[in-house]
Amino acid sequence: MPALGLGVYRSAPEDTAGAVRTALGNGYRLIDTAAAYGNEAQVGEGITGSGLDRSEVFVTTKLWNSEHGFDATLRAFDTSLHSLGLDYLDLYLIHWPIPAEFDATIASYQAMEKLLDEGRVRAIGVSNFTEKHLETLISRTTVVPAVNQVELHPFFTQPAVRDADATHGVITQAWSPIGGVYSNHPADPDDLVRPLEHPTLAGLAARYGKSPAQIVLRWHLQQGRAVIPKSVRANRIAENIDVFDFALTSEDIDAIDAIDIVLRGGSDPDLVEAHTFG
């Protein structure tokens, strides 16, 4: 799996195919979508329009919360594969755990193990799993998740989840890696805080001649995390992958680590239910 890819969360369908083509033209080889994003078909169109061979592109999609359960998962996978226009998937993730119905979450993962055994997907994993969710899943299934995709950025570094992933050999992949996607906005917009405006990142950006976003992406990569920054803007897509020509010092990494204020921007996985998001 490439360490850096394009995320398409909140990418409008009319913008998605072009963003995917642009990303692949700029050297990206990982595209991350989900059934819930409503743009799987456009991701497929973008891949086809890129002119690249299917084997050159790593494609991830995710099982939505309302489809948990063994048979429902198999049907949902078929629907996603059809929407994408593909005959196999590189990585299939459970989008969210459903703690109150975790037996159904386990059944979904068991269905994914079947898909893996049949060769219809190359790897399986989870998203938004806490260390407790991960431990329970691993104790009740056969295949250790390849990936745990979680919210992770300088304001929310999730050390306990990262440690649990590392213990089990699970890759930590960061969504909202630069802290740009927030659903829990404060009532007063002036109270909204943005990681990229932090003075530590601004100072490092000036020193290295990079943008704050590039500094943060490099911080992730040097600590072994995969990242899927989202954009539909050609200049930003190109900027986000231009992070392999410099390296942060250990002191720089420590300084970014110290920014953490334990500020979650997305939903708390322990509170998610099957229809939390509609």
Side-chain angles (χ1 to χ4, degrees), residues 63-76 101 103-112:
L63 174 77
W64 190 234
N65 304 347
S66 57
E67 306 298 330
H68 282 211
F70 192 91
D71 292 338
T73 297
L74 297 179
R75 290 192 297 269
E101 303 173 26
D103 284 348
T105 300
I106 294 293
S108 287
Y109 194 79
Q110 291 169 334
M112 291 163 61

Side-chain angles (χ1 to χ4, degrees), residues 3 22 47 59 77-78 118 136 199 202 204 220 237:
T22 297
I47 293 170
V59 183
F77 178 85
D78 286 340
E118 293 172 348
T136 302
L204 290 170
H220 283 291
I237 289 170

Side-chain angles (χ1 to χ4, degrees), residues 3-4 216-227 243-244:
L4 189 151
V216 173
L217 292 171
R218 187 68 202 175
W219 166 73
H220 283 291
L221 293 169
Q222 283 187 222
Q223 295 188 86
R225 292 188 291 277
V227 289
V243 293
F244 296 99

